Amino acid sequence: MNTKVIQIDKERDLDPQLFEAADVIKNGGLVGIPTETVYGLGANALDASASKKIYEAKGRPSDNPLIAHISCMDELPALVSEIPEAGKKLAEKYWPGPLTMVFPKSDVVPYGTTGGLDTVAIRMPSDPIAIRLAGVPVAAPSANTSGRPSPTKAKHVIEDMDGKIEMIIDGGEVGIGLESTIVDVSGEIPMLLRPGAITIEMLRETLGRVEIDPAILGPLSADVKPKAPGMKYRHYAPKAEMTLVEGEMENVVSFINREAKAALEAGKSVGIICTEESRSLYEGGILKVIGSREHEETVAHNLFAVLREFDDRQVDCIFSESFSKDRLGQAIMNRLCKAAGYHIVNV
Ligand code: AMP
Ligand code: MG
């Protein structure tokens, strides 16, 4: 398949090329779409055969459900059998935005989109023009090959999807850089299934009690079934073996310098994920600055691109600094822990 890449100008109100993208979706095809979180791989969420193509293009296990994206509140009632109070409150406060909610599904949503579940995950992204033009809800998981870091630039989507999908909309770099927050509002007590830019602190401010799925905090033991099926798969993984180092900054830096030196002496190539604040303290290896501790949103924004850059450089091992688990830090650490396959060292 020949994948057409179109460049759109976000400053322009309605780029006419978006009609072409909407037609592809309407006709059951796949389009790479920029959103404020990461690039998504979009298809008609109500068409089970279109959803199936998403799983094929990503190499994604078919029990890992997709998120359906809508362009306005009017599209919600048809997709769900109930809108719980918590869902109403969060939609009012955070939609459009980087928040996905899990609702009990209605009959129009095929099991092929929900991975066989009776619930459906729904989000209204902040720039829903392509969805509105398509006139259907758009199933859109991240537009990466399953298991690779999520795409935050069109070139990442091209790397993973060229030849596999009809079209890619190049809208430049995404804003946030981490996937949406997912909260399940289908049960009695809302439950955070995936941390993102809408933080647990923000959810609790709106809803009061919100529980946290244990899968967010650490690796699951084999007998526990995660609420977000995606949680059980190794995710965001760079190709190199990655170690996440926690502790006082001084100890972290000297541990990484020592380990990097030993690896370099053994003939390995070494990547180090550091911050603006620490970059001058490292003595060897390939340094990548992930962002500034003073502005954690820069860390979120660069995280996946840095992992992909280390893939490009074909390093053998990566050492990364770690971050506080408060606010946006919870989402950052969730992704870094997964990228490291939970290989975490405390120093
Ligand atoms: P991605 O689109 O790649 O960010 O992946 C979508 C995420 O949403 C995965 O982690 C899924 O497991 C999760 N998800 C989608 N639908 C549901 C659902 N009905 N219930 C729980 N989690 C869901
Ligand atoms: Mg994904």
Side-chain angles (χ1 to χ4, degrees), residues 6 19 35 44 47 60 102 108 119 126 136 163 178 198 211 226 232 241 276-278 307 320 335-336:
I6 60 171
F19 286 95
T35 81
N44 181 353
D47 177 349
R60 179 173 175 131
V102 173
V108 302
T119 51
S126 70
V136 289
L178 298 180
I198 307 296
E211 291 190 342
K232 73 178 176 220
E241 184 180 306
E276 289 292 355
E277 290 80 2
S278 65
L307 295 179
S320 175
R335 304 316 191 270
L336 286 176

Coordinates of all heavy atoms in Angstrom, one line a residue, residues 6 19 35 44 47 60 102 108 119 126 136 163 178 198 211 226 232 241 276-278 307 320 335-336:
I6 N 0.2 13.9 4.3 CA -0.2 15.3 4.0 C 0.2 16.2 5.1 O 0.1 15.8 6.3 CB -1.8 15.4 3.8 CG1 -2.6 14.9 5.0 CG2 -2.2 14.6 2.5 CD1 -4.1 15.2 4.9
F19 N -10.5 16.8 4.4 CA -11.7 16.1 3.9 C -11.3 14.8 3.3 O -12.0 13.8 3.4 CB -12.3 17.0 2.8 CG -13.1 18.2 3.3 CD1 -12.5 19.4 3.5 CD2 -14.4 18.0 3.8 CE1 -13.3 20.5 4.0 CE2 -15.2 19.0 4.3 CZ -14.6 20.3 4.4
T35 N -2.8 14.3 17.7 CA -3.7 14.8 18.7 C -2.9 15.5 19.8 O -1.6 15.5 19.6 CB -4.5 13.6 19.4 OG1 -3.7 13.0 20.4 CG2 -5.0 12.6 18.4
N44 N -12.8 4.0 11.6 CA -14.2 4.0 12.0 C -14.5 3.1 13.2 O -14.4 1.9 13.0 CB -15.1 3.7 10.8 CG -16.6 3.8 11.2 OD1 -17.0 4.0 12.3 ND2 -17.5 3.6 10.2
D47 N -17.1 0.2 12.8 CA -16.9 -0.8 11.8 C -15.9 -1.8 12.3 O -14.7 -1.5 12.3 CB -16.4 0.0 10.5 CG -16.1 -0.9 9.4 OD1 -16.1 -2.2 9.6 OD2 -15.9 -0.4 8.3
R60 N -1.1 -5.5 17.2 CA -1.5 -5.4 18.6 C -2.4 -6.6 18.9 O -3.2 -7.0 18.1 CB -2.4 -4.1 18.7 CG -3.0 -3.8 20.1 CD -3.6 -2.5 20.0 NE -4.3 -2.1 21.2 CZ -4.2 -0.9 21.8 NH1 -3.3 0.0 21.3 NH2 -4.9 -0.6 22.8
V102 N -14.0 5.3 30.7 CA -14.5 4.0 30.3 C -16.0 4.0 30.8 O -16.3 4.2 32.0 CB -13.7 2.9 31.0 CG1 -14.4 1.5 30.8 CG2 -12.3 2.9 30.4
V108 N -24.3 -0.4 19.6 CA -23.7 0.0 18.3 C -22.2 -0.1 18.3 O -21.6 -0.2 17.2 CB -24.1 1.5 17.9 CG1 -25.6 1.7 17.8 CG2 -23.4 2.5 18.8
T119 N -17.5 -2.7 28.0 CA -17.3 -1.3 28.3 C -16.6 -0.7 27.0 O -16.0 -1.4 26.3 CB -16.4 -1.1 29.5 OG1 -15.2 -1.9 29.4 CG2 -17.2 -1.4 30.8
S126 N -8.6 17.5 21.8 CA -8.8 19.0 21.7 C -8.9 19.5 20.3 O -9.3 20.6 20.1 CB -7.7 19.7 22.5 OG -6.5 19.5 21.8
V136 N -18.1 10.0 12.1 CA -18.2 8.8 12.9 C -17.3 8.9 14.0 O -16.3 9.6 13.9 CB -17.9 7.5 12.1 CG1 -19.0 7.2 11.0 CG2 -16.5 7.6 11.4
G163 N 3.4 2.2 4.4 CA 3.1 1.0 3.6 C 2.0 0.2 4.2 O 1.5 -0.7 3.6
L178 N 2.5 12.4 26.1 CA 2.1 11.1 26.8 C 0.7 10.8 26.4 O -0.1 11.7 26.2 CB 2.3 11.2 28.3 CG 3.6 11.5 28.9 CD1 3.6 11.6 30.4 CD2 4.6 10.4 28.4
I198 N -4.0 14.7 32.8 CA -5.0 15.0 33.8 C -4.7 14.1 35.0 O -4.8 12.9 34.9 CB -6.4 14.7 33.3 CG1 -6.7 15.4 32.0 CG2 -7.5 15.1 34.4 CD1 -6.7 16.9 32.0
E211 N -10.0 5.7 43.0 CA -9.0 4.7 43.3 C -8.0 4.6 42.2 O -8.2 5.1 41.1 CB -9.7 3.4 43.6 CG -10.5 3.5 44.9 CD -11.1 2.2 45.4 OE1 -11.2 1.2 44.6 OE2 -11.4 2.2 46.6
P226 N -5.5 -7.1 34.8 CA -5.6 -5.7 34.9 C -6.9 -5.2 34.3 O -7.5 -5.8 33.4 CB -4.4 -5.2 34.0 CG -4.2 -6.4 33.1 CD -4.6 -7.6 33.8
K232 N -1.1 -5.1 30.6 CA -0.4 -6.4 30.8 C 0.7 -6.6 29.8 O 1.5 -7.4 29.9 CB -1.3 -7.6 30.9 CG -1.9 -8.0 29.5 CD -2.8 -9.2 29.7 CE -3.5 -9.5 28.3 NZ -4.8 -9.9 28.4
E241 N 18.5 -2.6 26.7 CA 18.1 -2.9 28.0 C 18.2 -1.6 28.8 O 19.1 -0.8 28.7 CB 19.1 -3.9 28.6 CG 18.8 -4.3 30.0 CD 19.9 -5.3 30.4 OE1 20.2 -6.3 29.7 OE2 20.5 -5.0 31.5
E276 N 18.2 18.8 32.2 CA 18.9 20.1 32.1 C 19.8 20.3 33.3 O 20.9 20.8 33.2 CB 17.9 21.3 32.0 CG 17.2 21.4 30.7 CD 18.0 21.7 29.5 OE1 19.3 22.0 29.7 OE2 17.5 21.7 28.4
E277 N 19.2 20.0 34.5 CA 19.9 20.3 35.7 C 21.1 19.4 35.9 O 22.0 19.8 36.7 CB 18.9 20.1 36.9 CG 17.8 21.1 37.0 CD 16.6 20.9 36.0 OE1 16.6 19.9 35.3 OE2 15.7 21.7 36.0
S278 N 21.2 18.2 35.3 CA 22.3 17.3 35.6 C 23.2 17.0 34.5 O 24.2 16.3 34.6 CB 21.6 15.9 36.1 OG 21.0 15.3 35.0
L307 N 13.4 7.9 23.7 CA 13.6 6.5 23.6 C 13.8 6.1 22.2 O 14.6 5.2 21.9 CB 12.3 5.8 24.2 CG 12.1 6.0 25.7 CD1 10.8 5.3 26.1 CD2 13.3 5.5 26.5
S320 N 18.6 5.7 33.1 CA 17.8 6.9 33.2 C 17.6 7.4 34.6 O 17.5 6.6 35.5 CB 16.4 6.6 32.6 OG 15.5 7.7 32.8
R335 N 5.5 5.6 32.5 CA 6.0 5.2 31.2 C 7.5 4.8 31.3 O 7.9 3.8 30.7 CB 5.9 6.4 30.2 CG 4.5 7.0 30.0 CD 3.4 6.1 29.8 NE 2.2 6.7 29.4 CZ 1.2 7.2 30.2 NH1 1.3 7.2 31.5 NH2 0.1 7.8 29.7
L336 N 8.2 5.5 32.2 CA 9.7 5.1 32.3 C 9.8 3.7 32.9 O 10.7 2.9 32.5 CB 10.4 6.1 33.1 CG 10.7 7.5 32.4 CD1 11.4 8.4 33.4 CD2 11.6 7.3 31.2

